[in-house]
Every structure is written in C-alpha cells, then in structure tokens.
Amino acid sequence: MALSKRSKAAAPPPAVQAPASAVADVSLPTDPFLAGRELLGRCPDGALLQTRWDRWGRDLIEGLAPIYDIPAVLPRIIEGIIAAHDQRKPSLRQRDLERSYQPDWYQQSSMVGYAMYADRFAGDLNGVRDNIDYLNDLGVTYLHLMPLLKPRTGPNDGGYAVASYREVKPELGTMDDLEGLADELHGNDISLTLDLVLNHVADQHDWAVRARAGEAKYRDYFFCYADRAQPDLLEQTLPEIFPDFAPGSFTWDDDMRGWVWTTFNAWQWDLNWANPDVFCEFADVILYLANRGADCLRLDAIAFIWKRVGTDCQGQPEVHAITQALRAIAHIAAPALILKAEAIVAPQLLVPYLGQGEHAGKVSEIAYHNSLMVQIWSALAARDARLMARALGRFPTVPTTSAWGTYARCHDDIGWAIDDADAAAVGYNGFWHRRFLADFYKGDHPGSFSRGDHFQVNEETGDRRTSGTAASMTGIELALSSGDEGLLQLAIDRLHCVYAMVYGFGGIPLLFMGDELALTNDYGFVDVPEHADDNRWLHRPAMPWTLAESRSDLGTVHGKVFSAVRHLGHTRRELPQLHAATQTEVLVPHDPAIVLFVRRHAAGLYVGVFNISDSWRTFPGGFLRNLGLGGDSARAFEHLQGQQLALLDEISIPPYAAWWLTA
Ligand code: GLC
C-alpha cells in the first residue's frame, strides 16, 4: 500500500492553474510561491494578503510539497483564504492586527487556562456567558471549551465523534450563541480554544453517510478494506487505544462492504489525509471556526492522522508537514488564530509537535506537556523527583515561539508514559514503576493517599491507565472520608503543590474544571448509559454552584483550594520569568524529595522550589546562592507568600511547600 507520497518532494512543481473565480487571462508564474502571491494580489485586499503570504506562503508550500499535488490544491486553498478573509468581521480583523503587534500573546505569564464542558459548567453556551465573572475571579485568560460541535447521536466519546463541523450541538446552543460567547470572552480578555477533531469523523457525518451510500468521492475520504489482509498486517504494529471497549483498529461495515479504519471507537472513522480533498475540507473548517471567534484550535489526536504500514501510525513526518501547511493557511487568513497539539506520546516524541528541524517554529504554537504531567504524579507517589529531572532534562530545545500547555489533570485518563531508559537511569524498572503508579493512584498500593481507577487494562502489554480527579488523586477524598483534619490539610497542601508546579513551570497552565474547588470523583457517571463503560467520566464532574458560590469561605476545603489556585494565577502575572520563551531546567540537587525549576530569564533568575513529600526537609541554601539567587544579601523573595527568604546554609522546607523565588 503506497500511503506515502513523500517522493513528490523531489519533482519540480508543475504550473498552477488559476481558480475559476480568478482572472484567468493572465498566465500564472510556474513557481507556486509566486503564483499564490499573484492570485492573492488580485483580490480587493490583495496588498494585505500578499504581505501575509510573504511571511507564511513558503511555510504553506513546503508543508504541502511532500504530500499533495500543489498545482491542484493551491488554487482551492487560495480561494478559501480569500473568501474567509472577506467574511472576517471587523472585530476579528482588529484582533488580527493587535496580535501582529503582540505575537507572543499566548506565551505571556498572564496566561491562565481553564478547560470545561459547557453543559457541565453551566448548562449551555449562554450559561457560560452568564458566568464569565467566575472565570475572571480565577484569573482565567484562556478558555478551552470541550467538544461542542454537533456530535453523533448515541455514544460520542464526549463529543469527539463529530457529525458536523459547522453546527453546534443543539443542546448547547447555536453557532450564533458560540459567536456571541466568543465576543463576550474577548471583551473580558479571555481567548477561546475549540477542539478540531481531524483524525476521524463520526460514522453519522455527511462524508461517512455518502461513503456508505456508495459515492466514490467520499469513500476516498476513509480507509476501507474488502478483506482482513491489510487490517491484519496493520494491526501487527498498531497500538490498541481502547482495548476494553473498542478492541482492534478496524470495524466491519455492511454498507461499505469492508473493514473501515477506526483507531478509537467503532463509530469514529479515520480520515485519509493523503486525499487532498480531506486537507481542503479541513482548511475550510479551520477558517470557518476562526471566523466564529476561535483563537486557538486544539488539534485532537493529531499524532494519528498519517498512516504508514509497519509503524504505529503515530507522529509520521507527514503529520508535521500537514500541520505546518494548515497553520500557514490560518495565519494568512486569520492571523489571530493559533494551534495547540494534543499528542499524548512518549517523552522523546513530544517535541516535534512544537516544531523541530525543518518545522521549527512552523507547527503548533502550543502542545500539552504530557511528560511533565506524568512526572509530577510519579514524583509525588514515589516522593522522589529524580526521574522527573532525568526525563525532563533530556528534552530537546523547543522553539522560542512556542509554549507548553502545563497541566495536572484533563478530561482524559493518565497514561503512564515513563521511558524505560529514563527509569533505568535512576535505578527503577520502567515496567514495574508504571505498574506501581497505576496501582498507587487506584488506591491499591499500601500507603497510597489516592482514590482513582484503572482505565483500559491491557492484559497483553500490562499497560493500565488511570482515571480520577486531582482532588481524589492527591488524597482529599480519602482524608474527607477519614474525618482526620491533619490528613485533610496535608492533602490540600499536596494539591496546592501539584498546581504550584503546573503554574510555576512556564507556559500556559491549564486548569481542569473542578480542580479549583477540589471536586472529588463523580461516581454517578455509571448511571448514564451513554458513557457508563467509560470511567474517564469519574473526573468530569458537573459544577456544583452552591459550593462555587461559597468559594470565598476559607473555612471550607473548596474555599481554601479556590483561593490558593486563584492566588497562583494572580502571582504568575507579576513574574515575567514565567514567559514561555524561556526553558525550564529541572534539578534535584540534594534530597530526592526537593525539586527545583530553574528559569534563567533576562528579567532575572527564577527558581521554583517544591517539597514533594509529606515530611519536613532541609537543603543547603548554598545551592540556591550558587545558582545566582540572593547576591550579597543572601536573601531571595518568595512570591507566593510575599516574603523574604534567607538563604541560610541549611534551609528547612515544610511538607508540600511550594516557593517561587526570584533574586
Ligand atoms: C483525544 C481526546 C480523547 C478522545 C480521543 C479520540 O485523545 O482527548 O478524549 O477519546 O482523542 O478523539
């Protein structure tokens, strides 16, 4: 099966044809860059679009070149760009302009992200709009609304099985409501992130319906095999994503008379991105959502979009070329829009999603720091941060124009992505450490403070992932049931320490709805037949507004946690050192329970100090002085408590304390 067309890169690009709507009497230059420039120049706002083309046009051509027939796709792309630019309303054009003066807007330390399901937060989109005050109170500047486009009926993987990219799920509202919400968020200095599911569509999406009805054009949008030969071959190297409830990667479909590629659930049909029509459809969808007010698109399961026999079909080179081309299109038509990669992959495979080598600075601006997330939980369970320092220390440099999305919990399970070599380097066995973490966070391990559950136990590989809220995983659920006040305070401090690492690493901290109120697991998810078999709903609770309304009551658990998390966001704002352009070094200088985040910024040195254990620890202040903190005064300023810290020879640090120090 020749799924890759990379060989095309070597051939000289054939001449570009003018689109039907363009003035076709002038022949176009054969160089696709010049041809694109010329086509843009013919539209009313030609000079502006040409200026943007000069900046991003080559990124587009280089992204397309290894995969598509440029003369065939470029005119369609240009037509789409011109149409989208034409329809872009004045307020969004103003946003484009503002962001061209502030291209690092998503890297600034004022960024505080929040992810929520609109219905679970406030019923629907208008409900979210009515509760923006709550987000302002928390200091939120970036809102990720979980999937809200029209999903299939019946099970839909929390909305990740999209039936229409141009309609909102009716229960949540309409496209106009979404646009109104985006305007209101913008007025509150909050940018809006939406999901773009591009690996698959729902089996009820029009493309799938038409493929099933036998339309050849749409059959080519998918992968379908008449017999098991190819699926069997592919499955030899494909991982199983949902071995419990959706084993295998292909699903027989009677109407298609074949095995359809379905990496995730049987009703999520993988798209064939080698087909230029699929690329052009998504280019249009991106610009459509940008014009509705999206500031950022979260590229769902982006690793999976390119298939190659003999591989795990994740992170193939074409994934990055396609992302580069899509981003260039977005930047030419709607420069205010950025991309965020959701690639939950092994640590050494993560950085290419922010751009490496030929794609440096040309793909997604943001990527989830899955590895930091895993390492925070690992360090907490083992009371040992050496593995974190080792794993993060091996991360290659990321582009200075990118930002990590740092997080402790999201709507998904935690996959224990610990690299065997990293584990061995600090004296662990990778397999048994992963097993320990899964058991620890389920609450099965002696001494565990966590209450979670296994998600997708794979008997063949021994892999088991974990579900649970941050509060349940940090011990708040257990402490509440024990009634022990001391235990409860320790658990609150533990949750705070986790979020202080997330907010104090650099990049955009992404708070998952409910964590700020220490919401524990929602065991009622089993009563909803649609998702009773998917325990990721354990950590997707609904917003309890009575609790939220008493969030300023510092005598309650939720009040304490809310005020602490809000304080992290407000403190971050004042620390330019947390701007994402600077990289973080992770050090464990002395005691494995003390971890340092060191950021050398032109504004001055920043050192985050975290005690990830439940006991008092001491460490030598000389280490901080040698890093450059304190100078002659031998004092640093600790921002979270707003006080001086004397850098004594021996510094004592309380259990789960988090200090953000500058000189
Ligand atoms: C992403 C989503 C996850 C979903 C999967 C398939 O990983 O985060 O919730 O199940 O993609 O769309």
Side-chain angles (χ1 to χ4, degrees):
M1 181 170 57
L3 290 178
S4 163
K5 292 199 195 161
R6 282 182 74 74
S7 50
K8 277 213 165 74
V16 171
Q17 303 296 311
S21 61
V23 186
D25 56 342
V26 184
S27 63
L28 288 166
T30 50
D31 177 307
F33 177 78
L34 295 178
R37 196 170 196 284
E38 164 120 17
L39 285 173
L40 288 170
R42 294 177 188 177
C43 83
D45 228 352
L48 174 67
L49 289 179
Q50 279 184 331
T51 308
R52 294 184 188 161
W53 180 259
D54 290 344
R55 168 65 183 83
W56 288 296
R58 288 193 201 283
D59 288 3
L60 171 61
I61 307 284
E62 285 164 14
L64 295 172
I67 306 170
Y68 303 112
D69 180 14
I70 294 182
V73 291
L74 194 59
R76 284 164 71 186
I77 292 171
I78 301 263
E79 249 185 314
I81 289 175
I82 293 173
H85 174 71
D86 237 30
Q87 290 153 17
R88 197 152 170 84
K89 61 185 181 186
S91 58
L92 292 177
R93 289 184 182 205
Q94 173 65 20
R95 215 164 167 74
D96 291 335
L97 182 67
E98 286 162 9
R99 287 189 169 164
S100 69
Y101 289 113
Q102 213 175 49
D104 65 340
W105 63 271
Y106 54 89
Q107 297 183 293
Q108 294 175 7
S109 67
S110 55
M111 294 302 287
V112 171
Y114 191 76
M116 63 151 89
Y117 292 93
D119 57 339
R120 299 184 85 70
F121 180 70
D124 58 16
L125 295 177
N126 289 331
V128 176
R129 194 171 166 164
D130 293 341
N131 286 287
I132 291 181
D133 283 354
Y134 181 82
L135 303 177
N136 286 334
D137 191 12
L138 254 183
V140 171
T141 57
Y142 164 110
L143 176 65
H144 171 203
L145 285 179
M146 297 296 294
L148 51 78
L149 298 177
K150 188 177 163 198
R152 74 190 291 278
T153 48
N156 56 44
D157 189 19
Y160 286 105
V162 179
S164 168
Y165 290 90
R166 289 181 166 79
E167 285 167 85
V168 166
K169 182 179 180 180
E171 293 83 346
L172 295 178
T174 62
M175 263 298 163
D176 287 345
D177 295 336
L178 179 63
E179 201 168 331
L181 172 59
D183 288 343
E184 193 85 15
L185 289 169
H186 294 167
N188 281 273
D189 283 333
I190 300 176
S191 54
L192 174 63
T193 295
L194 298 178
D195 276 277
L196 183 70
V197 185
L198 27 64
N199 177 66
H200 45 262
V201 291
D203 58 350
Q204 294 169 6
H205 189 286
D206 189 48
W207 303 335
V209 172
R210 296 173 79 165
R212 241 187 271 109
E215 282 189 52
K217 170 175 158 99
Y218 291 100
R219 278 189 76 99
D220 287 348
Y221 278 37
F222 302 99
F223 298 98
C224 184
Y225 306 98
D227 57 40
R228 282 293 310 180
Q230 201 65 16
D232 285 345
L233 177 68
L234 285 156
E235 279 184 354
Q236 286 174 18
T237 52
L238 285 173
E240 284 198 296
I241 308 298
F242 297 139
D244 283 1
F245 49 65
S249 296
F250 297 86
T251 302
W252 175 262
D253 187 277
D254 282 340
D255 295 326
M256 293 286 276
R257 290 180 308 284
W259 293 90
V260 177
W261 199 317
T262 55
T263 298
F264 294 88
N265 287 289
W267 26 262
Q268 287 166 305
W269 287 19
D270 285 41
L271 288 158
N272 176 9
W273 277 82
N275 180 345
D277 288 340
V278 169
F279 179 90
C280 290
E281 296 271 15
F282 274 94
D284 283 350
V285 168
I286 287 175
L287 300 184
Y288 174 79
L289 295 173
N291 277 354
R292 291 303 186 150
D295 296 281
C296 174
L297 294 176
R298 171 187 179 276
L299 305 180
D300 180 68
I302 180 70
F304 294 87
I305 66 169
W306 195 267
K307 323 292 187 191
R308 178 167 282 115
V309 183
T311 71
D312 64 357
C313 296
Q314 289 187 60
Q316 296 297 308
E318 289 82 353
V319 168
H320 307 299
I322 289 170
T323 309
Q324 175 173 321
L326 292 175
R327 173 180 180 267
I329 292 170
H331 280 354
I332 296 164
L337 185 83
I338 58 167
L339 302 178
K340 173 169 69 165
E342 190 248 350
I344 308 306
V345 297
Q348 62 282 9
L349 302 177
L350 194 50
V351 170
Y353 294 89
L354 284 180
Q356 256 189 326
E358 59 186 319
H359 300 297
K362 298 179 183 175
V363 289
S364 296
E365 281 86 355
I366 309 174
Y368 284 91
H369 205 327
N370 173 49
S371 204
L372 172 67
M373 183 274 291
V374 165
Q375 293 299 340
I376 288 175
W377 291 111
S378 163
L380 215 60
R383 295 162 175 83
D384 179 350
R386 287 173 306 141
L387 181 57
M388 175 193 270
R390 154 84 194 186
L392 300 183
R394 286 211 300 145
F395 261 62
T397 309
V398 299
T400 53
T401 49
S402 62
W404 286 117
T406 60
Y407 66 114
R409 294 298 294 115
C410 69
H411 68 289
D412 277 329
D413 52 289
I414 301 177
W416 298 110
I418 303 275
D419 181 71
D420 284 340
D422 288 338
V426 295
Y428 292 173
N429 170 293
F431 178 86
W432 289 111
H433 187 58
R434 290 189 290 273
R435 174 60 59 90
F436 157 71
L437 292 172
D439 290 349
F440 185 93
Y441 283 108
K442 182 170 188 297
D444 278 354
H445 198 273
S448 166
F449 43 72
S450 170
R451 290 293 173 266
D453 205 352
H454 289 328
F455 177 73
Q456 305 292 318
V457 175
N458 188 330
E459 297 300 352
E460 235 171 81
T461 60
D463 186 45
R464 33 182 77 166
R465 286 131 67 185
T466 300
S467 289
T469 68
S472 290
M473 290 178 60
T474 49
I476 291 181
E477 181 176 331
L478 178 67
L480 284 171
S481 66
S482 76
D484 181 327
E485 285 297 320
L487 219 55
L488 186 57
Q489 189 54 51
L490 205 59
I492 292 173
D493 293 345
R494 194 182 287 124
L495 179 61
H496 178 250
C497 181
V498 165
Y499 266 105
M501 288 195 251
V502 167
Y503 276 60
F505 185 81
I508 307 183
L510 304 169
L511 178 64
F512 189 64
M513 190 195 97
D515 285 0
E516 77 281 15
L517 292 169
L519 297 191
T520 53
N521 292 338
D522 176 7
Y523 294 100
F525 81 91
V526 288
D527 300 332
V528 183
E530 205 179 81
H531 59 234
D533 62 346
D534 185 344
N535 73 20
R536 288 177 297 174
W537 288 89
L538 204 55
H539 52 260
R540 300 171 180 175
M543 180 61 121
W545 280 104
T546 28
L547 214 72
E549 268 144 28
S550 61
R551 61 189 181 272
S552 53
D553 181 351
L554 295 180
T556 61
V557 175
H558 60 275
K560 283 181 189 156
V561 171
F562 187 93
S563 92
V565 172
R566 176 176 50 189
H567 184 58
L568 292 172
H570 290 294
T571 310
R572 248 180 81 81
R573 262 177 193 280
E574 312 305 324
L575 283 169
Q577 289 90 340
L578 291 173
H579 186 287
T582 303
Q583 312 252 352
T584 304
E585 275 169 72
V586 179
L587 303 176
V588 174
H590 168 69
D591 173 345
I594 308 291
V595 59
L596 309 185
F597 292 172
V598 179
R599 297 176 60 77
R600 300 175 198 277
H601 190 277
L605 180 71
Y606 158 96
V607 184
V609 182
F610 308 92
N611 176 355
I612 49 135
S613 79
D614 49 8
S615 54
W616 280 83
R617 302 285 171 145
T618 53
F619 69 99
F623 194 86
L624 296 178
R625 292 199 300 270
N626 289 343
L627 283 172
L629 265 190
D632 292 342
S633 71
R635 299 177 91 74
F637 190 74
E638 200 289 294
H639 290 262
L640 290 172
Q641 289 163 67
Q643 61 192 24
Q644 300 281 337
L645 178 77
L647 302 181
L648 307 173
D649 286 342
E650 195 170 85
I651 301 181
S652 296
I653 178 164
Y656 299 118
W659 295 342
W660 291 355
L661 304 173
T662 63

